[in-house]
Amino acid sequence: MVRAASGAAEAPVGTSVTETQGATDSGAGAGWGRRDKLLEIEADIQRLWEERRTYESDAPAADGEGVADSDKFFVTFPYPYMNGRLHLGHAFSITKAEFAARFARLDGKQVLFPFAFHCTGMPISAAAMKLEKSVAERKDPGKDQLSEGRAEEDSVDEEAEASGDEEQTPGVFSGKKSKVAAKTGGMDQYDIMLAMGISEEEIPNFIDPQYWLKYFPPFAVQDMKRLGTAVDWRRAFITTDMNPYYDAFIRWQFQKLRNKYLENGKRESIYSTLTKQPCADHDRAEGEGVKPQEYTLIKLQVSKVPEAWESVLDSGTSVYLVAATLRPETMYGQTNCFVLPDGNYGLFQMNNQEVFVCTERSARNMCYQGLGDLKESPTGEQAPICLLETTGKDLVGLPLKAPLAAYETVYALPMLTISMEKGTGIVTSVPAEAPDDYACLKDWKTRENWRQQFGVKEEWCEPFDVVSIMEIPDSEFGSASAPYICEKMKIGSHKEKDKLNTAKKEVYMKGFYSGVLTVGPYAGQKVSEVKDSIKQDLISSNQATRYFEPEGKVISRSGDECVVALCDQWYLKYGDDDWTQRVRQHVENNFDMYNEAALNNLSHAVGWLGDWACSRTFGLGTKLPWDEQWLIESLSDSTIYMAYYAIAHILEGGRLTGDGAGSIKAEDLTEEVFDYVFCLRDSPPEGAAIAQDVLDKMRREFKYWYPVDLRCSGKDLIQNHLTMSLFTHAAVWEDASFWPRSFFCNGHVLIDSEKMSKSKGNFLTLEESIDTYSADATRIVCADSGDTLQDANFSREIAGKTILRLTTLLDWATESMAKMAQFRHGDYTFLDNIFHNELSKIVLNAHTAYKRMVYSDALRAAYYDIENLRSQYSILTNGDVHADVIKRILDVQTVILSPIAPHFCEHLWRNVLGNDSLVVEQAWPHPEKEPDPVLLRQYETLQATLRAFRLKLDSVKSPKKKKKKGAQADAPPPKPSRAVAFVAKGYSQWQQEVLKLLQDIELDEQNCPKQKDFMRSIKDAESIKALPKQDLKKAMPFASFMMKEVQSRGPEALELQLPFDEAQMLQDMSEVIKSQLGIEEFQIAAAEEEHPCGADQQRLAAGPGKPQIVFLEKEPATA
């Protein structure tokens, strides 16, 4: 990426001209002077941290010395993949770990935040292979024409995608761009490299996959340092066998797994036909998380082969229409099968002189699973042997023999809603239990015009009645659930897909879990209990076979659509019951995910993971120690490398590949050495080539820092990497005290509410974001964007405004420090105490938010709340501020904002506040005592009162106009110059009775009544019934109003009296009130007593904490 020149005059995207002008140096015309000032500060502070080696953390020198284990904090982040520059998506997730590390340091912890870079697996090798092809194409004179053709195709795809979800003609499918095509705008690999800012002279170097490993990691380090991450860079490394030390560590890890949790054999795996190996999640451009889906392939034998087929069939060949079903137990109810009239099918040669009629896509899957042979196609790809191509309309009317069916012969009928991207394109029909099947069969029976249009003879459908096969006890469905639900929902055609999906959901689960078969040898038994037996019977009698395909579309990094193949593979047995149970117990009892939804996802993944193909033959990585034809795939070599961080700096000497690191050689890292270092044996290894003191130092580092206290990640890694990390820790270390303690997961980040995409022009590399907005503005917007599993939003407009806010804060702090001697000194006033107290509350709120990793709340407290507090302090004191309060505001904000904006706060701390120390080495500014609850109430009441007074004044000055016919022009609005505030010491008797009853109502966490009909209990209370009629009429509306107050203010809204003298507080603040309201006179009156101005309605409406104000015009002068 070509870096923009520092100080370029380009304005941040989404920033208005006015904001741009506000962000420049006053009168200087220097472009983005304020942004440039922040970049200058950041560069200076980064040099300072590097000179002082601020973030290098080591274990205590020896056992028993230094800080205790409880005072350490080890945080990690999944190492990013090095096939390009880091982008804003990386930065957003990285900031979660970064904020946590910095907060833990302030909170008294000894912190280690290491970082590394992932190069294992397919992506780099696949990109290098694509690049080699792109370079070769550019040497072809016809390349320009090819490019133009590709551009036209991309344009058509974009138009199709933009057309929305319009109903499509059955069998006609429009293409959509894959995830990669969307991100790259349809560019080939050469174009992508150019877009990264790589010169045409250098691009050919990237044909060698090893070159990527040398090129991108140093840029990643540079970008991370510019972001201001608190990383111990001595421990950084890259993966693959280019780093012999890490390679030795992974080989050791797999030796530990081999004895109990690794197995070799054939398994169904998602498979790339181009690279000829399984395609795991991180090897995919599209379809991450997709697993093989098992079907039962039902063989419907063609009773009479069409003449057009005979020439391609050998004598004795059996021909089947094959249908993939998830419900083999329902085959007793078949009445026909369905095909897509406009769909493309083929006759494919399979084993044992069988020919299957299905789609080419499904036939490919079958052949990769050993059901048939593959041959090389004209394009050079392996393809199933297709004897003849045909269409669905040619299959309509074929007589078939359906396994287990009550009818001897059934027929193929059209269905207009079949998806050719799932299953085989052939669908079995069981109209008793499948709403789609019932609706479609009914269509052909009742719609003569359809039969004529599609050439369907009446005898192919009319004689075939619904065959009942099960009962669902204690339900309304009767002996056939599909007809019942279709009639109930008034489904008139099989084209009503939404209604049919709803109907299917309602009957399928009940049928499977509650249904009892009424036919066949298993009659009287529950469907769920005999499904597997029926399936096995069908397979044993050669009426069916097992069939797999991906649950959804999977595109490999090499660009091919994956299939499910039966592979000879090494597998990790994540489905092992004992292993799974140990991990599950850890998650349930000793683990924190900070978010209930994330915890639920992790718990599901622990039980769902199953066997995992962990070896490959193509790509980069570490070879299996005992079978070096295999490479360990990229998810399997990244599960416990956090342990390697503990010793990486000792082994590699701060070099990413460990090249020329020092005295320790990679071959010296034997299994016995690693076992000792990682506390799997107590005695030092005999005859080790590594000095004992070095071994002890490595062991001490591991023992001190482990386990991982926090690992931060995007939510997409819950289903694989994070779950695998727990399993592998449990496999290597029986002692659960070495297992990770918590994971934090976040959603993806959008930019301006849209997914990042180069084609949309909203793709930001980390470098671009820092150059445009500065590191701290980028960090602040990341903190503000979101902390849940929902997608977060990075607003470029807010990033631009943040530059102005930061520099404005810097100006205010500088000015305040210069004026400190001029500010008031001496004893605190009432307002000084209030704002000192409010600041203590903010400090506690920020601490809680940081602790629970709700960084948007932490930012609000440390940045916006303090900014608002100092503004209110200045307003309410009319600028007469106390020096100590202002200094404490500055000190506190500088410290508690530093995890999010560390460069800015470090600059404030040292260069504005005049400290010699580093802000990142300060302690969290815990208040000396808990915030005074009475002062908190007073401030809350004061602010609410002032807000209410201002709103009332606005309504007086701008009354709503009522238009009446023939009415005279409105009189000019009044100009009040004085006001009376009615203050109530307590509630009236009838109001107190209501409040006492409300105080007894139990509330939930949101301060809502747990009792839904609580108002009825109030109404029926004897104390309410005994009220006078005029009070009784007001009691229920008052109760309803007060419960709304409870929801916004909490139970304190029901207090009968305030814990302070409200009238005296307002009296003390009378000058402030007059100033804010712009009036000359302000009087406080008791609401319990009549007043000369009248205003009885307002007077009687007053309550504790709810004073009512009346505005009056100036009294005329007396003669």
Side-chain angles (χ1 to χ4, degrees):
M1 180 64 65
V2 177
R3 186 169 158 188
S6 178
E10 177 188 1
V13 179
T15 307
S16 69
V17 173
T18 305
E19 290 156 6
T20 303
Q21 291 170 345
T24 60
D25 288 332
S26 177
W32 274 84
R34 288 179 179 263
R35 185 271 316 276
D36 296 344
K37 175 64 175 175
L38 293 178
L39 290 173
E40 181 184 335
I41 287 171
E42 290 167 359
D44 289 343
I45 295 302
Q46 287 158 18
R47 280 192 294 271
L48 175 67
W49 289 337
E50 193 141 358
E51 288 167 5
R52 297 201 177 190
R53 307 173 77 172
T54 304
Y55 304 115
E56 294 181 6
S57 297
D58 293 300
D63 292 339
E65 295 183 14
V67 292
D69 175 70
S70 60
D71 292 330
K72 68 89 181 176
F73 185 75
F74 182 19
V75 55
T76 64
F77 178 84
Y79 37 30
Y81 203 78
M82 288 293 96
N83 58 346
R85 296 293 292 268
L86 297 180
H87 55 68
L88 197 62
H90 292 117
F92 174 69
S93 295
I94 288 167
T95 57
K96 306 303 182 184
E98 161 71 0
F99 298 158
R102 289 185 175 277
F103 167 69
R105 184 183 291 266
L106 294 178
D107 212 30
K109 303 288 188 182
Q110 179 84 351
V111 176
L112 175 61
F113 180 21
F115 212 84
F117 305 100
H118 203 195
C119 307
T120 305
M122 283 269 298
I124 288 174
S125 294
M129 186 170 64
K130 290 178 184 176
L131 181 62
E132 185 174 20
K133 182 180 178 183
S134 297
V135 170
E137 285 176 349
R138 275 166 167 73
K139 294 177 182 177
D140 186 339
K143 174 68 178 70
D144 289 342
Q145 294 178 357
L146 290 172
S147 296
E148 289 172 9
R150 186 176 65 249
E152 286 181 8
E153 291 170 7
D154 288 342
S155 175
V156 170
D157 281 347
E158 287 190 303
E159 289 175 8
E161 195 167 10
S163 65
D165 296 327
E166 296 180 3
E167 186 172 344
Q168 297 177 333
T169 305
V172 180
F173 302 93
S174 62
K176 279 195 176 183
K177 286 187 177 182
S178 71
K179 181 170 69 176
V180 166
K183 282 185 177 180
T184 62
M187 299 184 291
D188 70 3
Q189 191 63 45
Y190 196 98
D191 296 328
I192 293 170
M193 306 305 282
L194 285 173
M196 289 181 183
I198 299 169
S199 68
E200 292 199 75
E201 292 76 22
E202 191 165 18
I203 285 175
N205 294 331
F206 289 87
I207 292 173
D208 177 8
Q210 300 289 331
Y211 192 78
W212 298 64
L213 280 61
K214 300 171 185 174
Y215 184 85
F216 285 113
F219 278 113
V221 173
Q222 172 186 299
D223 292 344
M224 289 279 288
K225 286 183 175 180
R226 290 194 68 208
L227 185 63
T229 51
V231 167
D232 183 348
W233 288 110
R234 300 173 303 158
R235 301 172 188 259
F237 58 86
I238 65 168
T239 67
T240 75
D241 54 4
M242 181 181 271
N243 182 343
Y245 298 96
Y246 187 77
D247 186 64
F249 171 78
I250 296 302
R251 291 165 70 91
W252 167 80
Q253 173 192 326
F254 267 73
Q255 291 287 10
K256 298 289 105 180
L257 293 170
R258 182 183 182 185
N259 294 336
K260 195 170 182 181
Y261 298 114
L262 265 174
E263 188 174 284
N264 185 265
K266 288 188 178 293
R267 296 283 193 284
E268 291 78 16
S269 304
I270 305 292
Y271 185 85
S272 166
T273 59
L274 191 59
T275 61
K276 298 180 174 57
Q277 64 180 0
C279 185
D281 279 2
H282 285 188
D283 302 330
R284 303 174 188 177
E286 182 180 345
E288 189 168 328
V290 172
K291 298 181 73 174
Q293 171 70 63
E294 180 177 356
Y295 294 89
T296 302
L297 198 65
I298 303 297
K299 300 179 179 180
L300 296 99
Q301 187 167 9
V302 178
S303 302
K304 185 178 180 182
V305 173
E307 289 183 11
W309 296 5
E310 290 178 352
S311 62
V312 300
L313 298 175
D314 294 335
S315 175
T317 297
S318 298
V319 183
Y320 302 93
L321 270 60
V322 287
T325 181
L326 296 171
R327 302 197 65 190
E329 73 281 4
T330 65
M331 293 302 99
Y332 296 106
Q334 292 179 92
T335 58
N336 58 281
C337 82
F338 293 117
V339 297
L340 183 69
D342 295 328
N344 294 317
Y345 296 84
L347 278 66
F348 296 96
Q349 183 68 59
M350 296 292 163
N351 299 335
N352 304 318
Q353 283 195 296
E354 294 182 341
V355 170
F356 289 177
V357 181
C358 56
T359 62
E360 194 275 342
R361 181 194 58 79
S362 60
R364 285 178 74 239
N365 275 273
M366 293 173 200
C367 291
Y368 274 99
Q369 293 160 37
L371 298 182
D373 293 330
L374 292 159
K375 71 172 185 178
E376 190 170 305
S377 70
T379 63
E381 297 177 335
Q382 293 291 303
I385 300 170
C386 183
L387 305 176
L388 183 71
E389 294 180 352
T390 186
T391 64
K393 66 182 179 181
D394 296 326
L395 303 179
V396 172
L398 277 179
L400 306 166
K401 183 177 181 180
L404 305 184
Y407 296 103
E408 184 176 344
T409 299
V410 299
Y411 295 91
L413 300 176
M415 179 181 268
L416 307 182
T417 56
I418 292 175
S419 168
M420 301 296 275
E421 301 303 311
K422 201 172 183 73
T424 62
I426 310 292
V427 178
T428 60
S429 174
V430 183
E433 298 302 325
D436 292 84
D437 298 350
Y438 174 77
C440 193
L441 180 60
K442 185 178 177 183
D443 280 341
W444 299 117
K445 284 189 172 191
T446 58
R447 298 177 186 263
E448 184 178 354
N449 58 328
W450 280 27
R451 292 202 299 268
Q452 291 175 355
Q453 179 182 351
F454 288 93
V456 174
K457 295 182 180 179
E458 190 173 355
E459 58 264 31
W460 296 346
C461 56
E462 185 58 38
F464 296 89
D465 295 326
V466 171
V467 178
S468 298
I469 59 173
M470 72 175 70
E471 293 275 0
I472 303 177
D474 303 321
S475 77
E476 73 275 26
F477 295 127
S479 59
S481 62
Y484 173 84
I485 197 70
C486 286
E487 296 301 323
K488 179 181 176 181
M489 294 181 64
K490 296 183 171 55
I491 296 172
S493 166
H494 79 280
K495 289 185 176 182
E496 297 180 28
K497 293 195 288 185
D498 291 340
K499 277 189 176 182
L500 285 165
N501 281 334
T502 302
K504 186 193 306 183
K505 288 176 184 176
E506 185 167 346
V507 301
Y508 269 30
M509 297 303 286
K510 289 183 180 178
F512 180 73
Y513 288 107
S514 303
V516 176
L517 280 179
T518 57
V519 296
Y522 299 99
Q525 298 184 53
K526 290 189 72 172
V527 168
S528 59
E529 295 173 357
V530 299
K531 174 180 179 174
D532 289 341
S533 298
I534 295 172
K535 171 183 170 181
Q536 191 55 50
D537 290 348
L538 285 165
I539 292 172
S540 298
S541 61
N542 197 34
Q543 294 177 299
T545 189
R546 296 171 76 216
Y547 166 67
F548 295 80
E549 65 179 44
E551 293 170 322
K553 190 174 185 178
V554 178
I555 303 295
S556 79
R557 298 271 185 179
S558 303
D560 59 313
E561 183 173 354
C562 294
V563 298
V564 172
L566 191 61
C567 301
D568 187 12
Q569 254 288 354
W570 283 97
Y571 289 87
L572 282 161
K573 300 186 293 182
Y574 289 125
D576 180 87
D577 289 340
D578 176 67
W579 199 10
T580 300
Q581 187 58 30
R582 289 194 299 126
V583 173
R584 188 185 301 282
Q585 286 176 356
H586 181 66
V587 169
E588 291 174 352
N589 301 318
N590 307 301
F591 205 71
D592 192 356
M593 285 291 285
Y594 299 89
N595 178 295
E596 187 175 354
L599 180 60
N600 290 338
N601 289 348
L602 181 66
S603 298
H604 172 74
V606 168
W608 162 89
L609 200 55
D611 290 349
W612 184 269
C614 62
S615 54
R616 300 287 180 270
T617 56
F618 174 81
L620 303 174
T622 294
K623 295 180 174 65
L624 272 178
W626 60 90
D627 193 353
E628 294 201 352
Q629 65 173 317
W630 297 105
L631 289 165
I632 297 165
E633 62 91 27
S634 62
L635 279 164
S636 300
D637 88 333
S638 56
T639 53
I640 60 167
Y641 69 88
M642 312 88 192
Y644 185 76
Y645 280 132
I647 61 173
H649 61 306
I650 300 172
L651 297 177
E652 300 185 17
R655 295 171 176 83
L656 289 175
T657 63
D659 183 31
S663 59
I664 301 176
K665 297 178 181 178
E667 54 266 32
D668 297 338
L669 297 170
T670 63
E671 185 173 356
E672 293 75 19
V673 164
F674 277 129
D675 284 352
Y676 178 70
V677 167
F678 294 127
C679 299
L680 295 179
R681 59 182 288 171
D682 294 328
S683 58
E686 294 182 7
I690 303 172
Q692 186 61 46
D693 62 330
V694 177
L695 290 174
D696 290 341
K697 182 180 180 181
M698 290 194 287
R699 180 182 173 94
R700 190 163 59 247
E701 285 281 335
F702 170 75
K703 197 172 182 180
Y704 177 72
W705 290 115
Y706 240 63
V708 174
D709 296 285
L710 171 67
R711 187 159 180 80
C712 297
S713 163
K715 64 182 179 182
D716 50 311
L717 295 188
I718 294 176
Q719 65 189 0
N720 43 54
H721 163 72
L722 294 177
T723 308
M724 293 174 181
S725 178
L726 290 175
F727 271 90
T728 311
H729 276 88
V732 174
W733 291 278
E734 288 286 335
D735 184 353
S737 67
F738 288 111
W739 304 0
R741 290 175 175 170
S742 72
F743 295 154
F744 177 88
C745 297
N746 53 263
H748 302 126
V749 67
L750 310 177
I751 294 185
D752 298 333
S753 302
E754 289 190 309
K755 288 184 178 180
M756 278 201 300
S757 169
K758 288 185 174 70
S759 61
K760 291 180 180 177
N762 72 337
F763 189 92
L764 275 179
T765 65
L766 178 51
E767 179 189 47
E768 288 168 339
S769 187
I770 293 170
D771 283 343
T772 309
Y773 305 112
S774 79
D776 281 350
T778 296
R779 292 167 67 110
I780 284 172
V781 181
C782 284
D784 201 30
S785 297
D787 303 294
T788 68
L789 295 185
Q790 301 300 315
D791 287 347
N793 183 46
F794 184 97
S795 166
R796 289 183 286 185
E797 180 180 2
I798 292 175
K801 290 179 177 178
T802 299
I803 297 170
L804 182 57
R805 293 189 80 141
L806 281 173
T807 51
T808 301
L809 174 56
L810 177 60
D811 293 343
W812 175 81
T814 304
E815 183 182 348
S816 295
M817 289 301 293
K819 291 182 177 179
M820 198 62 68
Q822 302 170 30
F823 293 152
R824 181 165 45 85
H825 293 74
D827 294 339
Y828 273 15
T829 64
F830 168 67
L831 281 176
D832 295 336
N833 282 317
I834 271 192
F835 281 94
H836 186 93
N837 195 62
E838 283 296 313
L839 187 58
S840 294
K841 183 185 79 169
I842 289 173
V843 170
L844 293 178
N845 289 344
H847 191 274
T848 300
Y850 276 121
K851 195 88 172 172
R852 290 306 303 164
M853 299 186 70
V854 186
Y855 295 122
S856 53
D857 286 357
L859 177 69
R860 183 171 66 243
Y863 194 27
Y864 303 113
D865 287 354
I866 292 183
E867 190 175 272
N868 180 62
L869 189 71
R870 66 177 173 83
S871 173
Q872 288 299 308
Y873 182 47
S874 180
I875 291 169
L876 294 183
T877 60
N878 199 23
D880 184 22
V881 296
H882 197 290
D884 291 348
V885 174
I886 293 297
K887 184 62 165 61
R888 183 167 182 247
I889 287 174
L890 280 167
D891 287 344
V892 163
Q893 183 168 33
T894 303
V895 173
I896 71 175
L897 183 59
S898 67
I900 296 173
H903 309 90
F904 179 81
C905 292
E906 196 72 79
H907 177 75
L908 272 184
W909 185 257
R910 292 175 58 81
N911 301 321
V912 178
L913 301 185
N915 297 294
D916 292 329
S917 57
L918 296 178
V919 73
V920 300
E921 293 175 346
Q922 301 310 301
W924 184 266
H926 292 285
E928 294 178 2
K929 59 180 181 179
E930 289 291 312
D932 185 332
V934 174
L935 284 175
L936 294 175
R937 288 291 305 280
Q938 284 182 284
Y939 181 66
E940 179 186 352
T941 303
L942 177 61
Q943 289 287 22
T945 299
L946 290 172
R947 191 161 46 248
F949 285 1
R950 287 192 296 268
L951 290 172
K952 182 65 176 176
L953 179 61
D954 289 343
S955 69
V956 169
K957 286 184 173 181
S958 305
K960 291 183 180 178
K961 297 179 181 179
K962 296 182 180 178
K963 292 187 178 180
K964 292 185 180 178
K965 242 183 179 182
Q968 295 181 351
D970 292 332
K975 296 181 179 179
S977 63
R978 58 197 183 99
V980 177
F982 293 105
V983 179
K985 290 184 178 180
Y987 289 100
S988 63
Q989 188 60 42
W990 70 266
Q991 289 175 321
Q992 291 186 40
E993 294 298 336
V994 173
L995 292 171
K996 289 175 184 176
L997 291 168
L998 292 176
Q999 288 170 356
D1000 293 333
I1001 292 178
E1002 191 176 358
L1003 304 175
D1004 61 18
E1005 292 180 357
Q1006 283 74 42
N1007 290 321
C1008 295
K1010 288 186 176 180
Q1011 181 184 343
K1012 296 265 177 96
D1013 59 344
F1014 74 95
M1015 290 293 283
R1016 178 171 294 280
S1017 66
I1018 302 296
K1019 186 177 181 181
D1020 294 342
E1022 292 300 325
S1023 59
I1024 299 300
K1025 290 179 180 178
L1027 292 175
K1029 191 172 183 181
Q1030 66 271 21
D1031 294 338
L1032 185 59
K1033 288 169 63 177
K1034 298 181 284 186
M1036 297 312 292
F1038 177 70
S1040 177
F1041 171 77
M1042 292 308 297
M1043 285 311 291
K1044 290 177 182 176
E1045 288 286 292
V1046 169
Q1047 289 180 36
S1048 62
R1049 291 168 50 204
E1052 68 182 33
L1054 301 177
E1055 291 175 346
L1056 302 183
Q1057 282 186 317
L1058 292 176
F1060 56 88
D1061 188 336
E1062 183 180 7
Q1064 185 60 52
M1065 181 186 74
L1066 294 179
Q1067 186 64 55
D1068 293 342
M1069 298 300 300
S1070 58
E1071 291 302 317
V1072 172
I1073 293 171
K1074 285 193 292 184
S1075 174
Q1076 288 215 355
L1077 300 180
I1079 57 177
E1080 299 172 10
E1081 298 177 26
F1082 178 68
Q1083 181 188 358
I1084 297 167
E1088 294 79 12
E1089 301 172 7
E1090 292 186 358
H1091 193 273
C1093 75
D1096 288 346
Q1097 183 178 355
Q1098 289 91 333
R1099 178 174 64 82
L1100 295 173
K1106 290 283 184 180
Q1108 299 296 310
I1109 194 166
V1110 177
F1111 289 97
L1112 304 168
E1113 292 188 79
K1114 192 170 186 178
E1115 293 182 3
T1118 56

